[in-house]
Amino acid sequence: QVQLVESGGGLVQAGDSLKLSCAASGRTASSYAMGWFRQAPGKEREFLCATIKSGLSTYCSDSAKGRFTISRDNSKNTIDLQMDNLKPEDTAVYHCAADQKLHNIAVTNPVSWGQGTQVTVSS
């Protein structure tokens, strides 16, 4: 399995931007689809965005489209999530995820995920 470590979270104000990063180690990250999901207190996991192994195609949920952008760099075994125009309802722990099948990331049931990074958006 691949090990994932997220970074880049923090406290921001509504309307700000934030970029999250995820470093993958262990088995070669390029052999996995990768993505992001989040979980707010008392709520279920919510899929955000994912990218196929090559990074040439990306997919985002309706709630993420237009504000969140995913990218990956297989030479560095990293994926990023650029988040713009953040809102208080974006407050959550953001997790990086990896799986052989992108579908498993989209249903927030990946084989691997990181500990997460907290994002707090104040109004």
Side-chain angles (χ1 to χ4, degrees), residues 4 8 14 23 37 39 41-42 46 54 58 60 62-63 90 105 108 111 115 118 122:
L4 306 169
F37 66 88
Q39 189 164 23
E46 178 187 8
S54 68
T58 62
C60 290
D62 288 342
S63 64
D90 292 320
I105 299 174
T108 64
V111 66
Q115 291 289 331
Q118 176 71 46
S122 64

Side-chain angles (χ1 to χ4, degrees), residues 1-4 25-35 50-55 57 59 72 96-113:
Q1 289 188 355
V2 62
Q3 289 75 48
L4 306 169
S25 60
R27 295 193 62 184
T28 305
S30 60
S31 65
Y32 286 80
M34 296 184 71
T51 175
I52 61 174
K53 299 172 185 179
S54 68
S57 293
Y59 305 89
R72 73 185 292 166
C96 176
D99 199 290
Q100 292 286 347
K101 298 180 180 180
L102 187 145
H103 170 78
N104 290 339
I105 299 174
V107 296
T108 64
N109 189 30
V111 66
S112 298
W113 63 93

Side-chain angles (χ1 to χ4, degrees), residues 4-55:
L4 306 169
V5 178
E6 304 90 341
S7 62
L11 173 63
V12 297
Q13 293 185 333
D16 285 351
S17 296
L18 200 61
K19 187 175 184 178
L20 306 182
S21 294
C22 172
S25 60
R27 295 193 62 184
T28 305
S30 60
S31 65
Y32 286 80
M34 296 184 71
W36 293 89
F37 66 88
R38 67 187 179 187
Q39 189 164 23
K43 295 188 177 181
E44 295 185 350
R45 294 176 176 179
E46 178 187 8
F47 167 70
L48 295 172
C49 296
T51 175
I52 61 174
K53 299 172 185 179
S54 68

